[in-house]
Amino acid sequence: MPDQRPPRRAWQRPSGWLLATGVGLVLAFAAVGWVQWRQVSLLSGTVRYEGDNLVWSFFQVESEFLQLRDQLREVQLDPVDPVRAAVTDRVRQRFELFASRLPLVAPERVAHLVNFGPEHLVTMAALDAFVRKHEVVLGEAADRPLTRQAALAALADLANLFTPIHDLTLRANQRIAENVGDRNDAVRDQVRLSMGLTVFQSVLTLAFALLTVRQFRSLVRRRRELQLVANNLQEARAEAEAASQAKSAFLANMSHELRTPFNGMLGMLALLDSDRLDAEQADYLRTARESATHLLDLLNDILDISKLESGRLDIVPHALDLHRLLRDVQALMAMAAESKGLALRVQVAPELPPWVMADGKRLKQILFNLMSNAVKFTDTGEVALTVSTRPAPADALGAEPMHELRFEVRDTGIGMNDAMRARLFQRFSQGDDSTSRRYGGTGLGLEISRSLARMMGGDITVDSKPGSGSVFTLSLDLPGARPDQLDPLTTPGELLGDHDGTAADEGEGLDLLVADDHPVNRKFLAILLRRMGHQVRLASNGAEAVALVAEQVPDLIFMDVHMPVQDGLQATRTLRAGPAPMSRVQIVALTADAFADTRQRVLDAGMNNFLSKPVQPDDIETLLTALFGARARGRRSGRADFDDSGLAPLAPDDLTAHDPHASAPVRAPSSPSALAAAAPAVPRRRFRASDVAVHLDMGVIGDLCVGVTLAGYQSVLAGFLNDESGSSANLLAALDSADTAALKQLAHAVKGASASLGLRAVQALALQIETEGASFTPDACAAAAAQLRDLLDTGRALLQRMGFSRPAA
Amino acid sequence: MPALPHPLPRTGLPCPTRRLALRQCLATAALLATGAARALDAPKGKVVLSVVGQVGTTNVEGRADFDMAMLEALPQHSFTTSTPWFKEPRRFSGPLLRDVLAASGAKGTGLRAVALNDYKVEIPVDDALRHKVLMATRLDGQPMPVREKGPLFIIYPYDESADLRSERYYSRSAWQLRTLEIR
């Protein structure tokens, strides 16, 4: 409980009382010490009373006086004259004794102790006079015999002295008693004072002790309270951690659960996309795919944000080919830019390091986000990506130097004012409310991008003016890399697998096993792989997979990680523990979540590679090619071989699926889906890097452009594509009507035209039709027709893309 | 005689402890030994000191009388000490009390000193053995007349110990000494 009491003043606090009591005690001790010292000095003063009892001394004077008088009276009574010797001796001794007493009460000796008044002086003077007068005859030194006359004279003088002596004695007695009384009083007072001080001391000590006890108790209590608070905090923390763990586990589960149906949905929608749909259906399909893709983007962004928040997003740097990455980015953005009529420029500094250590996936994500935003918010003009670097000093230790990279995305769009710029990186803010409705998107992109940039040790900064566009700058310091540092578990684009060196056995296809608990996933992968020309067996959990492997060891297993009964990791361990060749089978993990520790677990369990869902056909093909070389091409060829035993009977149109370049969706994070709504009615094509090489002969086209200029080529090409001569239409009509007799001649025409224009694939098909068309079956004709249409479309699309041809008005 | 109020109580004899008793036995034995050894001459001059009571060596009628010459024949000691009776420290000389007791063959544990004016005080023999108690015959080298507290003065070495500078020992310092009663 927080201490709500107001702060106390110094005199209120217990420690203040404690201090005061302690000071009081010290003072009391000092006072007592002083009193006792005074007492001791008083007492020793008493002892320094000359050591002799004054009262006794005065009494002695009187006593000796009387004894002397008695002696002299004895002489008086004895008539013998001179006095007898024995008596004389006695008298003289008495006289001397009497005289010896006088100095002890002399004023100069005793006056400083007690004042006996002026009578004292007078009496003492009289006594001294008496002694002086009579010592001639009465002193011990007297040598003559004592006469009666002298003795009696002395006696007479002595008699006069009795009263003064007696008075003196009495007075002395009284005075001394008074003095002693005073002294006693003083001592008694001091004792009283001492007692009082002692009592005070005791009280203070008691108070001190009580206060100390109280302080101690309050400390104990405080400590107990703090302990309680600490316990509560610890419990709360444990709860919070548990909640966080639960959230992370929930996240991991959901990311798998959510992506799996998406995987299925997107896959199925992709499979639906073919030329058999009419325009309206194609439109619906396109909308569905765009919606699904947008939803997937949103989901990915949400999952990214959650991962960032819970600290579970990992940046996994690997050796990255910067130029290739930039080419990919450019390729993907080019279409979006072109569909809005914007120019897209990518400028790369020549001193850019070829290889850096970076997380390619995340870097691509950031660049896509920045560039798609630029395209999104620009209506006219251009979007430019400029990549520059500062030259890095070579490290003295010979380690790879750090390169300071700057990726600048500049657009000529609507721009932002300062208010918008300030809110830019906040969640869900896209300028203002109207902007977000107009431009769509998830609103999370910039937040994710900046978080990713900061996790990589860099940052994203913005400069913008309303109406004159914006500049987003991603600054990153990345270390250089060497190509031999490639991580075997990188994105499939950079996969290096082991080549098992099997002889290129063209046309046989691979024996593949797919293990996944989700029926949609299994179906999708099966179709995909079969189209690629491989044989596929299916298992719905790890145990089934192991059983199928035991029957016949496949070339490769696509193993889902999360499965009931026996999951992928367990199945892998089981297989690895078995005998060869089962233990050496290639196993590739399929998993929906991409946490780094999942990858590690996959490796630890014994799997060879890793693909993340949703799986791209592209990635599968690259993987298979890397592993099996030419065998990976399966039973695909440019030839129209329609006998595929082992496969389910396919409709003639499905033969187009043999084309490895079937449009499967290439996933681009934060794709500008809204742009599709605003795009003109040109069917969007997706191209792969090898399409041009397959469909076109760039050498021929180049020569033509040199020979007759670009404009010349374009016009001839337009003639062919628009079929001004009608040769394509004629050939197609003949194929459609299975007019095999006319095929040779018509195909020959098409062959020539396409060959001269560089349409390689069309040329090849035309050649095939020319040489074999006479023996085509009706089915074969239909198939060929379809293929021809497809090739023509693809060729046209490619040439349009490249700018050799304009889309039809 | 009026009662004499005294600010300080007169102390009585000290209670002998076991050590004290042992010492006294030894002392008595020593005294006996020395006493038995020699005899005592009769005094020729005026008698200044009579030792009576439990004495082993007598010269006159069951007591040991000393004149000044006999006392001065004993081994003489002297020291200077401050006293309550003189302003400044004075030099006292004479035989040790224990030597006088030994010469008279004293056999007791206590003695009573009696002065010319009948002042009496009890002194434990142990005092004479423990301290260098002087039976002073000379003050500053000169004999003391009766008027000057002579002829004999029992002097403790007060300056030697603070304990001796107390009323108890001052009262034992009898002057005008005449008789020692051994018991």
Side-chain angles (χ1 to χ4, degrees), chain A residues 50-51 53 59-60 64 93 96-97 100-101 109 135 140, chain B residues 1 4 6 84-85 116-117 146-147 167 170 175-176:
Chain A
E50 307 301 339
N53 190 346
F59 165 69
Q60 279 288 302
E64 288 301 328
Q93 191 174 61
E96 289 298 333
L97 284 172
S100 76
R101 282 288 153 199
R109 253 179 74 105
E135 68 182 344
E140 209 169 40
Chain B
M1 249 354 142
L4 303 172
H6 203 281
W85 311 284
L116 286 168
N117 64 343
V146 173
R147 208 185 291 191
E167 187 57 34
Y170 292 146
W175 67 69
Q176 294 166 348

PDB file of all heavy atoms in Angstrom, chain A residues 50-51 53 59-60 64 93 96-97 100-101 109 135 140, chain B residues 1 4 6 84-85 116-117 146-147 167 170 175-176:
ATOM      1  N   GLU A  50      43.499  20.555  57.701  1.00  0.00           N
ATOM      2  CA  GLU A  50      44.741  20.473  58.479  1.00  0.00           C
ATOM      3  C   GLU A  50      44.821  19.177  59.274  1.00  0.00           C
ATOM      4  O   GLU A  50      45.676  19.045  60.148  1.00  0.00           O
ATOM      5  CB  GLU A  50      44.883  21.677  59.429  1.00  0.00           C
ATOM      6  CG  GLU A  50      44.735  23.008  58.725  1.00  0.00           C
ATOM      7  CD  GLU A  50      45.750  23.201  57.623  1.00  0.00           C
ATOM      8  OE1 GLU A  50      46.795  22.523  57.644  1.00  0.00           O
ATOM      9  OE2 GLU A  50      45.522  24.011  56.714  1.00  0.00           O
ATOM     10  N   GLY A  51      43.923  18.267  58.997  1.00  0.00           N
ATOM     11  CA  GLY A  51      44.021  16.953  59.615  1.00  0.00           C
ATOM     12  C   GLY A  51      43.755  16.951  61.113  1.00  0.00           C
ATOM     13  O   GLY A  51      43.755  15.917  61.747  1.00  0.00           O
ATOM     14  N   ASN A  53      41.512  18.054  64.501  1.00  0.00           N
ATOM     15  CA  ASN A  53      40.194  18.424  64.951  1.00  0.00           C
ATOM     16  C   ASN A  53      40.292  19.738  65.722  1.00  0.00           C
ATOM     17  O   ASN A  53      40.832  19.809  66.821  1.00  0.00           O
ATOM     18  CB  ASN A  53      39.651  17.311  65.851  1.00  0.00           C
ATOM     19  CG  ASN A  53      38.205  17.506  66.153  1.00  0.00           C
ATOM     20  OD1 ASN A  53      37.656  18.575  65.921  1.00  0.00           O
ATOM     21  ND2 ASN A  53      37.597  16.479  66.694  1.00  0.00           N
ATOM     22  N   PHE A  59      39.554  22.483  72.914  1.00  0.00           N
ATOM     23  CA  PHE A  59      39.295  21.778  74.185  1.00  0.00           C
ATOM     24  C   PHE A  59      40.605  21.494  74.917  1.00  0.00           C
ATOM     25  O   PHE A  59      40.695  21.615  76.140  1.00  0.00           O
ATOM     26  CB  PHE A  59      38.532  20.485  73.908  1.00  0.00           C
ATOM     27  CG  PHE A  59      38.528  19.542  75.074  1.00  0.00           C
ATOM     28  CD1 PHE A  59      37.823  19.846  76.238  1.00  0.00           C
ATOM     29  CD2 PHE A  59      39.276  18.373  75.025  1.00  0.00           C
ATOM     30  CE1 PHE A  59      37.834  18.973  77.314  1.00  0.00           C
ATOM     31  CE2 PHE A  59      39.275  17.504  76.102  1.00  0.00           C
ATOM     32  CZ  PHE A  59      38.565  17.785  77.257  1.00  0.00           C
ATOM     33  N   GLN A  60      41.578  21.113  74.137  1.00  0.00           N
ATOM     34  CA  GLN A  60      42.876  20.826  74.720  1.00  0.00           C
ATOM     35  C   GLN A  60      43.466  22.067  75.405  1.00  0.00           C
ATOM     36  O   GLN A  60      44.093  21.948  76.472  1.00  0.00           O
ATOM     37  CB  GLN A  60      43.842  20.345  73.616  1.00  0.00           C
ATOM     38  CG  GLN A  60      43.688  18.889  73.260  1.00  0.00           C
ATOM     39  CD  GLN A  60      44.205  17.971  74.350  1.00  0.00           C
ATOM     40  OE1 GLN A  60      45.374  18.039  74.729  1.00  0.00           O
ATOM     41  NE2 GLN A  60      43.332  17.148  74.890  1.00  0.00           N
ATOM     42  N   GLU A  64      44.392  21.799  79.282  1.00  0.00           N
ATOM     43  CA  GLU A  64      45.741  22.028  79.794  1.00  0.00           C
ATOM     44  C   GLU A  64      45.764  23.223  80.735  1.00  0.00           C
ATOM     45  O   GLU A  64      46.516  23.242  81.728  1.00  0.00           O
ATOM     46  CB  GLU A  64      46.732  22.252  78.636  1.00  0.00           C
ATOM     47  CG  GLU A  64      47.036  20.991  77.840  1.00  0.00           C
ATOM     48  CD  GLU A  64      47.623  19.864  78.677  1.00  0.00           C
ATOM     49  OE1 GLU A  64      48.349  20.157  79.645  1.00  0.00           O
ATOM     50  OE2 GLU A  64      47.356  18.676  78.364  1.00  0.00           O
ATOM     51  N   GLN A  93      56.409  20.879  83.340  1.00  0.00           N
ATOM     52  CA  GLN A  93      55.916  20.073  82.227  1.00  0.00           C
ATOM     53  C   GLN A  93      54.526  20.515  81.821  1.00  0.00           C
ATOM     54  O   GLN A  93      54.222  20.653  80.637  1.00  0.00           O
ATOM     55  CB  GLN A  93      55.923  18.582  82.613  1.00  0.00           C
ATOM     56  CG  GLN A  93      55.665  17.703  81.373  1.00  0.00           C
ATOM     57  CD  GLN A  93      55.795  16.236  81.672  1.00  0.00           C
ATOM     58  OE1 GLN A  93      55.051  15.685  82.507  1.00  0.00           O
ATOM     59  NE2 GLN A  93      56.720  15.590  81.001  1.00  0.00           N
ATOM     60  N   GLU A  96      54.698  23.693  79.892  1.00  0.00           N
ATOM     61  CA  GLU A  96      55.123  23.443  78.500  1.00  0.00           C
ATOM     62  C   GLU A  96      54.013  22.818  77.689  1.00  0.00           C
ATOM     63  O   GLU A  96      53.788  23.158  76.526  1.00  0.00           O
ATOM     64  CB  GLU A  96      56.362  22.539  78.475  1.00  0.00           C
ATOM     65  CG  GLU A  96      57.637  23.196  78.958  1.00  0.00           C
ATOM     66  CD  GLU A  96      58.067  24.385  78.114  1.00  0.00           C
ATOM     67  OE1 GLU A  96      57.720  24.448  76.879  1.00  0.00           O
ATOM     68  OE2 GLU A  96      58.723  25.281  78.635  1.00  0.00           O
ATOM     69  N   LEU A  97      53.302  21.882  78.313  1.00  0.00           N
ATOM     70  CA  LEU A  97      52.189  21.270  77.583  1.00  0.00           C
ATOM     71  C   LEU A  97      51.156  22.327  77.213  1.00  0.00           C
ATOM     72  O   LEU A  97      50.666  22.350  76.068  1.00  0.00           O
ATOM     73  CB  LEU A  97      51.529  20.164  78.421  1.00  0.00           C
ATOM     74  CG  LEU A  97      52.317  18.845  78.493  1.00  0.00           C
ATOM     75  CD1 LEU A  97      51.676  17.893  79.495  1.00  0.00           C
ATOM     76  CD2 LEU A  97      52.412  18.180  77.136  1.00  0.00           C
ATOM     77  N   SER A 100      52.369  24.414  74.463  1.00  0.00           N
ATOM     78  CA  SER A 100      52.429  23.726  73.164  1.00  0.00           C
ATOM     79  C   SER A 100      51.077  23.683  72.467  1.00  0.00           C
ATOM     80  O   SER A 100      51.003  23.473  71.260  1.00  0.00           O
ATOM     81  CB  SER A 100      52.946  22.297  73.362  1.00  0.00           C
ATOM     82  OG  SER A 100      51.924  21.473  73.911  1.00  0.00           O
ATOM     83  N   ARG A 101      50.015  23.899  73.235  1.00  0.00           N
ATOM     84  CA  ARG A 101      48.673  23.837  72.645  1.00  0.00           C
ATOM     85  C   ARG A 101      48.315  25.112  71.931  1.00  0.00           C
ATOM     86  O   ARG A 101      47.447  25.103  71.042  1.00  0.00           O
ATOM     87  CB  ARG A 101      47.633  23.585  73.762  1.00  0.00           C
ATOM     88  CG  ARG A 101      47.594  22.147  74.205  1.00  0.00           C
ATOM     89  CD  ARG A 101      46.963  21.295  73.136  1.00  0.00           C
ATOM     90  NE  ARG A 101      47.426  19.927  73.184  1.00  0.00           N
ATOM     91  CZ  ARG A 101      47.307  19.099  72.176  1.00  0.00           C
ATOM     92  NH1 ARG A 101      46.786  19.481  71.063  1.00  0.00           N
ATOM     93  NH2 ARG A 101      47.743  17.873  72.324  1.00  0.00           N
ATOM     94  N   ARG A 109      46.541  30.363  61.847  1.00  0.00           N
ATOM     95  CA  ARG A 109      46.375  28.986  61.409  1.00  0.00           C
ATOM     96  C   ARG A 109      44.932  28.648  61.068  1.00  0.00           C
ATOM     97  O   ARG A 109      44.673  27.915  60.139  1.00  0.00           O
ATOM     98  CB  ARG A 109      46.862  28.026  62.508  1.00  0.00           C
ATOM     99  CG  ARG A 109      48.192  27.354  62.174  1.00  0.00           C
ATOM    100  CD  ARG A 109      48.580  26.457  63.324  1.00  0.00           C
ATOM    101  NE  ARG A 109      47.747  25.269  63.328  1.00  0.00           N
ATOM    102  CZ  ARG A 109      48.186  24.070  62.923  1.00  0.00           C
ATOM    103  NH1 ARG A 109      49.411  23.933  62.491  1.00  0.00           N
ATOM    104  NH2 ARG A 109      47.400  23.030  62.991  1.00  0.00           N
ATOM    105  N   GLU A 135      57.382  32.177  81.422  1.00  0.00           N
ATOM    106  CA  GLU A 135      58.230  31.051  81.033  1.00  0.00           C
ATOM    107  C   GLU A 135      59.626  31.159  81.633  1.00  0.00           C
ATOM    108  O   GLU A 135      60.371  30.188  81.676  1.00  0.00           O
ATOM    109  CB  GLU A 135      58.308  30.963  79.496  1.00  0.00           C
ATOM    110  CG  GLU A 135      59.051  32.092  78.818  1.00  0.00           C
ATOM    111  CD  GLU A 135      59.055  31.968  77.307  1.00  0.00           C
ATOM    112  OE1 GLU A 135      58.746  30.834  76.780  1.00  0.00           O
ATOM    113  OE2 GLU A 135      59.357  32.937  76.616  1.00  0.00           O
ATOM    114  N   GLU A 140      60.514  25.005  80.746  1.00  0.00           N
ATOM    115  CA  GLU A 140      61.377  23.837  80.924  1.00  0.00           C
ATOM    116  C   GLU A 140      62.849  24.245  80.971  1.00  0.00           C
ATOM    117  O   GLU A 140      63.676  23.598  81.596  1.00  0.00           O
ATOM    118  CB  GLU A 140      61.130  22.871  79.739  1.00  0.00           C
ATOM    119  CG  GLU A 140      61.352  21.406  80.071  1.00  0.00           C
ATOM    120  CD  GLU A 140      60.847  20.523  78.967  1.00  0.00           C
ATOM    121  OE1 GLU A 140      61.043  20.870  77.762  1.00  0.00           O
ATOM    122  OE2 GLU A 140      60.249  19.474  79.281  1.00  0.00           O
TER     123      GLU A 140
ATOM    124  N   MET B   1      32.229  18.161  80.078  1.00  0.00           N
ATOM    125  CA  MET B   1      32.797  18.244  78.739  1.00  0.00           C
ATOM    126  C   MET B   1      31.683  18.161  77.708  1.00  0.00           C
ATOM    127  O   MET B   1      30.922  17.204  77.714  1.00  0.00           O
ATOM    128  CB  MET B   1      33.698  17.045  78.517  1.00  0.00           C
ATOM    129  CG  MET B   1      35.209  17.231  78.422  1.00  0.00           C
ATOM    130  SD  MET B   1      36.039  18.724  78.395  1.00  0.00           S
ATOM    131  CE  MET B   1      37.439  18.246  79.398  1.00  0.00           C
ATOM    132  N   LEU B   4      31.679  16.110  71.546  1.00  0.00           N
ATOM    133  CA  LEU B   4      32.489  16.609  70.434  1.00  0.00           C
ATOM    134  C   LEU B   4      31.903  16.141  69.099  1.00  0.00           C
ATOM    135  O   LEU B   4      32.043  14.985  68.749  1.00  0.00           O
ATOM    136  CB  LEU B   4      33.915  16.090  70.570  1.00  0.00           C
ATOM    137  CG  LEU B   4      34.616  16.447  71.883  1.00  0.00           C
ATOM    138  CD1 LEU B   4      35.939  15.723  71.976  1.00  0.00           C
ATOM    139  CD2 LEU B   4      34.830  17.953  71.963  1.00  0.00           C
ATOM    140  N   HIS B   6      31.912  15.584  65.455  1.00  0.00           N
ATOM    141  CA  HIS B   6      33.033  15.335  64.542  1.00  0.00           C
ATOM    142  C   HIS B   6      32.470  15.110  63.135  1.00  0.00           C
ATOM    143  O   HIS B   6      31.593  14.307  62.971  1.00  0.00           O
ATOM    144  CB  HIS B   6      33.790  14.098  65.029  1.00  0.00           C
ATOM    145  CG  HIS B   6      35.207  14.078  64.529  1.00  0.00           C
ATOM    146  ND1 HIS B   6      35.494  13.684  63.253  1.00  0.00           N
ATOM    147  CD2 HIS B   6      36.365  14.415  65.123  1.00  0.00           C
ATOM    148  CE1 HIS B   6      36.814  13.767  63.069  1.00  0.00           C
ATOM    149  NE2 HIS B   6      37.368  14.216  64.204  1.00  0.00           N
ATOM    150  N   PRO B  84      50.297  17.709  58.546  1.00  0.00           N
ATOM    151  CA  PRO B  84      49.258  18.711  58.785  1.00  0.00           C
ATOM    152  C   PRO B  84      49.639  19.760  59.838  1.00  0.00           C
ATOM    153  O   PRO B  84      48.997  20.772  59.974  1.00  0.00           O
ATOM    154  CB  PRO B  84      48.073  17.887  59.284  1.00  0.00           C
ATOM    155  CG  PRO B  84      48.418  16.480  59.102  1.00  0.00           C
ATOM    156  CD  PRO B  84      49.889  16.384  59.003  1.00  0.00           C
ATOM    157  N   TRP B  85      50.712  19.475  60.626  1.00  0.00           N
ATOM    158  CA  TRP B  85      51.047  20.353  61.769  1.00  0.00           C
ATOM    159  C   TRP B  85      52.094  21.388  61.425  1.00  0.00           C
ATOM    160  O   TRP B  85      52.301  22.317  62.188  1.00  0.00           O
ATOM    161  CB  TRP B  85      51.532  19.490  62.946  1.00  0.00           C
ATOM    162  CG  TRP B  85      50.575  18.350  63.184  1.00  0.00           C
ATOM    163  CD1 TRP B  85      49.367  18.406  63.775  1.00  0.00           C
ATOM    164  CD2 TRP B  85      50.797  17.001  62.798  1.00  0.00           C
ATOM    165  NE1 TRP B  85      48.785  17.169  63.772  1.00  0.00           N
ATOM    166  CE2 TRP B  85      49.661  16.254  63.169  1.00  0.00           C
ATOM    167  CE3 TRP B  85      51.842  16.296  62.167  1.00  0.00           C
ATOM    168  CZ2 TRP B  85      49.529  14.894  62.943  1.00  0.00           C
ATOM    169  CZ3 TRP B  85      51.696  14.933  61.944  1.00  0.00           C
ATOM    170  CH2 TRP B  85      50.538  14.245  62.333  1.00  0.00           C
ATOM    171  N   LEU B 116      52.087  12.731  76.886  1.00  0.00           N
ATOM    172  CA  LEU B 116      52.301  13.402  78.163  1.00  0.00           C
ATOM    173  C   LEU B 116      51.017  14.019  78.694  1.00  0.00           C
ATOM    174  O   LEU B 116      50.816  14.114  79.895  1.00  0.00           O
ATOM    175  CB  LEU B 116      53.369  14.495  78.015  1.00  0.00           C
ATOM    176  CG  LEU B 116      54.805  13.971  77.887  1.00  0.00           C
ATOM    177  CD1 LEU B 116      55.742  15.090  77.453  1.00  0.00           C
ATOM    178  CD2 LEU B 116      55.280  13.374  79.208  1.00  0.00           C
ATOM    179  N   ASN B 117      50.127  14.444  77.720  1.00  0.00           N
ATOM    180  CA  ASN B 117      48.886  15.051  78.191  1.00  0.00           C
ATOM    181  C   ASN B 117      47.762  14.026  78.237  1.00  0.00           C
ATOM    182  O   ASN B 117      46.595  14.360  78.139  1.00  0.00           O
ATOM    183  CB  ASN B 117      48.493  16.210  77.282  1.00  0.00           C
ATOM    184  CG  ASN B 117      48.194  15.710  75.861  1.00  0.00           C
ATOM    185  OD1 ASN B 117      48.572  14.611  75.495  1.00  0.00           O
ATOM    186  ND2 ASN B 117      47.517  16.524  75.086  1.00  0.00           N
ATOM    187  N   VAL B 146      59.279  19.953  74.663  1.00  0.00           N
ATOM    188  CA  VAL B 146      57.865  19.582  74.865  1.00  0.00           C
ATOM    189  C   VAL B 146      56.955  20.567  74.161  1.00  0.00           C
ATOM    190  O   VAL B 146      55.953  20.210  73.549  1.00  0.00           O
ATOM    191  CB  VAL B 146      57.532  19.528  76.376  1.00  0.00           C
ATOM    192  CG1 VAL B 146      56.036  19.319  76.589  1.00  0.00           C
ATOM    193  CG2 VAL B 146      58.328  18.423  77.037  1.00  0.00           C
ATOM    194  N   ARG B 147      57.352  21.871  74.251  1.00  0.00           N
ATOM    195  CA  ARG B 147      56.506  22.891  73.627  1.00  0.00           C
ATOM    196  C   ARG B 147      56.395  22.685  72.111  1.00  0.00           C
ATOM    197  O   ARG B 147      55.434  23.087  71.483  1.00  0.00           O
ATOM    198  CB  ARG B 147      57.061  24.283  73.932  1.00  0.00           C
ATOM    199  CG  ARG B 147      55.965  25.335  73.928  1.00  0.00           C
ATOM    200  CD  ARG B 147      56.517  26.703  74.099  1.00  0.00           C
ATOM    201  NE  ARG B 147      57.062  26.909  75.440  1.00  0.00           N
ATOM    202  CZ  ARG B 147      57.402  28.105  75.888  1.00  0.00           C
ATOM    203  NH1 ARG B 147      57.269  29.162  75.119  1.00  0.00           N
ATOM    204  NH2 ARG B 147      57.915  28.214  77.109  1.00  0.00           N
ATOM    205  N   GLU B 167      42.731  10.894  58.322  1.00  0.00           N
ATOM    206  CA  GLU B 167      42.501  11.170  59.743  1.00  0.00           C
ATOM    207  C   GLU B 167      42.952  10.013  60.630  1.00  0.00           C
ATOM    208  O   GLU B 167      43.480  10.198  61.714  1.00  0.00           O
ATOM    209  CB  GLU B 167      41.007  11.448  59.945  1.00  0.00           C
ATOM    210  CG  GLU B 167      40.623  11.911  61.329  1.00  0.00           C
ATOM    211  CD  GLU B 167      41.365  13.142  61.748  1.00  0.00           C
ATOM    212  OE1 GLU B 167      41.642  13.987  60.856  1.00  0.00           O
ATOM    213  OE2 GLU B 167      41.694  13.268  62.927  1.00  0.00           O
ATOM    214  N   TYR B 170      46.691  10.239  60.904  1.00  0.00           N
ATOM    215  CA  TYR B 170      47.063  11.462  61.633  1.00  0.00           C
ATOM    216  C   TYR B 170      46.793  11.315  63.122  1.00  0.00           C
ATOM    217  O   TYR B 170      47.573  11.764  63.969  1.00  0.00           O
ATOM    218  CB  TYR B 170      46.284  12.675  61.091  1.00  0.00           C
ATOM    219  CG  TYR B 170      46.668  13.072  59.687  1.00  0.00           C
ATOM    220  CD1 TYR B 170      45.728  13.594  58.810  1.00  0.00           C
ATOM    221  CD2 TYR B 170      47.974  12.928  59.233  1.00  0.00           C
ATOM    222  CE1 TYR B 170      46.060  13.965  57.518  1.00  0.00           C
ATOM    223  CE2 TYR B 170      48.316  13.276  57.943  1.00  0.00           C
ATOM    224  CZ  TYR B 170      47.359  13.800  57.082  1.00  0.00           C
ATOM    225  OH  TYR B 170      47.699  14.159  55.808  1.00  0.00           O
ATOM    226  N   TRP B 175      52.127  12.825  69.414  1.00  0.00           N
ATOM    227  CA  TRP B 175      53.342  13.544  69.802  1.00  0.00           C
ATOM    228  C   TRP B 175      53.367  13.681  71.326  1.00  0.00           C
ATOM    229  O   TRP B 175      52.451  13.279  72.002  1.00  0.00           O
ATOM    230  CB  TRP B 175      53.406  14.897  69.097  1.00  0.00           C
ATOM    231  CG  TRP B 175      52.365  15.920  69.503  1.00  0.00           C
ATOM    232  CD1 TRP B 175      52.259  16.577  70.681  1.00  0.00           C
ATOM    233  CD2 TRP B 175      51.296  16.386  68.708  1.00  0.00           C
ATOM    234  NE1 TRP B 175      51.208  17.419  70.689  1.00  0.00           N
ATOM    235  CE2 TRP B 175      50.580  17.335  69.450  1.00  0.00           C
ATOM    236  CE3 TRP B 175      50.851  16.112  67.386  1.00  0.00           C
ATOM    237  CZ2 TRP B 175      49.465  17.997  68.970  1.00  0.00           C
ATOM    238  CZ3 TRP B 175      49.728  16.789  66.941  1.00  0.00           C
ATOM    239  CH2 TRP B 175      49.044  17.721  67.718  1.00  0.00           C
ATOM    240  N   GLN B 176      54.494  14.228  71.793  1.00  0.00           N
ATOM    241  CA  GLN B 176      54.721  14.253  73.261  1.00  0.00           C
ATOM    242  C   GLN B 176      54.506  12.859  73.840  1.00  0.00           C
ATOM    243  O   GLN B 176      53.929  12.687  74.913  1.00  0.00           O
ATOM    244  CB  GLN B 176      53.787  15.291  73.925  1.00  0.00           C
ATOM    245  CG  GLN B 176      54.096  16.712  73.509  1.00  0.00           C
ATOM    246  CD  GLN B 176      53.019  17.717  73.869  1.00  0.00           C
ATOM    247  OE1 GLN B 176      51.910  17.371  74.257  1.00  0.00           O
ATOM    248  NE2 GLN B 176      53.359  18.987  73.780  1.00  0.00           N
TER     249      GLN B 176
END
